[in-house]
Amino acid sequence: MSRLSGNLLRTVLRRRSFCTADNIDGNLQSSKVQIFDRHLKRKQDVKKSFPTTLCLGGSLEAIRRSVRGRGGIQRLVMMDSSHDMVKLCKDAEKDFSSDNIETSYIVGDEEYLPIQGSSVDLVISCLGLHWTNDLPGAMIQSRMALKPDGLFLAAIFGGETLKELRIACTIAHMEREGGVSPRVSPLAQVRDAGNLLTRAGFTLPGVDVDEYQVRYNSALELIEHLRAMGETNALVNRVKFLKKDTALATAAVYESMFAAEDGTIPATFQVIYMTGWREHESQQKAKRRGSATVSFQDIQKEFGT
């Protein structure tokens, strides 16, 4: 724990805790079709301070770097279910000693969030919640941890992620083993994200999506990258050992179906962004049904078809 007083931990933690694009660059547009100025959209951030912020497991180091120098955050609680990840981030804290953000590191599980209700102003989760068994429940706990008018920001991998690998795995397993065993995690679809926010009780829900295509020299290189990311198979009903000939068949199918002329293979990563607020009386609210004073027929008469 670095520079965070015991009073803050008592405020934030519950009394009982549970431990259990070819080029992705900030200067490049991520979509082939250019309709909106994405650079401008990135600058249209929320102009609100979040004194106490909770960052849930996933890309903790990246989040810690991104909040540096932005202001609006005074106290930061970094949480991950991995002891090793918490230690890694804690050891790197010396690199941020000059940004005046009081920082604490705790080991905890998003499904049993060890955070006191109504104790934080912002909850951030970057590419971690897609591993939870009960995603709606984890989001509900995040909402309960927020103070009124607190903000929930999350990024999760969407259902189009690794679609090429899914296809190659399915074909290879059918060919070599006569059946299919799960090799790639089930992921939420874009259409599900808004429903998840509403189900969790957030107000003013917002959903956005980006799709990146990263190129690798081979399918085996992609697998090594996923392993380094901590994104390898963790399904309860997984087949624990992948036969060598099935693995080679998967790589061969992948390359035969998706390889470019230069021999590289693409891997799609779809990222779904979700924003939601804990209810507060100051927030704008939808008008009561039937309270409209102008009908669509009047609008049609005014502006035509």
Side-chain angles (χ1 to χ4, degrees):
M1 186 186 319
S2 62
R3 315 193 324 272
L4 187 64
S5 66
N7 289 334
L8 174 60
L9 281 181
R10 284 193 291 272
T11 301
V12 173
L13 300 182
R14 288 178 180 166
R15 289 182 175 83
R16 181 184 178 190
S17 64
F18 300 82
C19 290
T20 54
D22 298 341
N23 189 342
I24 305 176
D25 187 285
N27 296 321
L28 296 180
Q29 299 277 357
S30 61
S31 178
K32 294 180 180 179
V33 179
Q34 302 301 318
I35 300 175
F36 303 105
D37 186 336
R38 301 291 293 167
H39 306 313
L40 175 61
K41 193 61 186 172
R42 290 188 184 97
K43 297 177 181 178
Q44 294 175 338
D45 295 330
V46 177
K47 305 301 182 184
K48 177 180 171 70
S49 62
F50 301 96
T52 303
T53 295
L54 169 66
C55 181
L56 302 180
S59 305
L60 291 186
E61 274 199 292
I63 293 298
R64 186 66 180 90
R65 289 194 300 269
S66 68
V67 300
R68 185 179 189 180
R70 287 180 174 266
I73 296 177
Q74 300 171 10
R75 297 172 293 276
L76 182 63
V77 180
M78 309 287 280
M79 191 195 87
D80 197 280
S81 60
S82 167
H83 289 267
D84 291 339
M85 178 58 73
V86 169
K87 183 179 184 304
L88 177 68
C89 295
K90 186 176 179 180
D91 291 344
E93 179 61 24
K94 60 181 181 297
D95 298 331
F96 306 103
S97 58
S98 62
D99 64 5
N100 296 321
I101 298 178
E102 296 180 356
T103 308
S104 172
Y105 295 91
I106 60 174
V107 177
D109 191 328
E110 295 95 336
E111 295 189 15
Y112 305 95
L113 203 60
I115 302 297
Q116 193 80 285
S118 303
S119 63
V120 299
D121 303 283
L122 171 65
V123 173
I124 303 174
S125 175
C126 182
L127 303 181
L129 284 177
H130 59 280
W131 285 113
T132 57
N133 290 303
D134 182 10
L135 179 54
M139 292 173 62
I140 288 172
Q141 291 187 63
S142 294
R143 178 181 61 81
M144 294 174 64
L146 287 168
K147 299 176 183 177
D149 204 31
L151 176 62
F152 172 76
L153 288 177
I156 61 173
F157 283 124
E160 293 298 302
T161 298
L162 299 177
K163 58 184 179 182
E164 302 90 352
L165 182 60
R166 293 174 192 271
I167 294 171
C169 280
T170 299
I171 294 174
H173 275 80
M174 289 292 293
E175 176 187 303
R176 297 303 173 97
E177 302 181 25
V180 178
S181 60
R183 285 290 172 185
V184 182
S185 301
L187 297 168
Q189 301 294 326
V190 176
R191 62 178 177 272
D192 300 326
N195 293 333
L196 285 168
L197 288 165
T198 302
R199 181 177 173 184
F202 288 106
T203 61
L204 308 176
V207 177
D208 199 359
V209 62
D210 272 330
E211 196 166 286
Y212 304 99
Q213 195 174 84
V214 184
R215 306 201 75 84
Y216 293 88
N217 292 321
S218 68
L220 297 179
E221 185 181 67
L222 165 62
I223 299 300
E224 287 302 315
H225 187 188
L226 294 174
R227 183 173 290 111
M229 292 168 62
E231 294 292 339
T232 48
N233 195 350
L235 295 171
V236 172
N237 295 323
R238 69 191 183 280
V239 176
K240 294 181 172 58
F241 300 100
L242 177 63
K243 295 180 180 179
K244 183 177 180 179
D245 61 339
T246 304
L248 294 174
T250 299
V253 171
Y254 201 131
E255 291 168 14
S256 66
M257 293 186 67
F258 301 107
E261 292 182 1
D262 62 0
T264 61
I265 55 105
T268 298
F269 293 88
Q270 184 186 54
V271 182
I272 301 174
Y273 306 96
M274 298 184 289
T275 62
W277 298 80
R278 184 159 184 180
E279 186 175 6
H280 188 263
E281 60 183 10
S282 65
Q283 296 168 357
Q284 60 266 43
K285 296 177 176 60
K287 295 291 186 180
R288 179 178 53 82
R289 184 181 291 274
S291 63
T293 58
V294 178
S295 70
F296 281 108
Q297 289 183 342
D298 293 335
I299 295 174
Q300 185 177 9
K301 290 178 182 178
E302 180 71 22
F303 297 101
T305 57

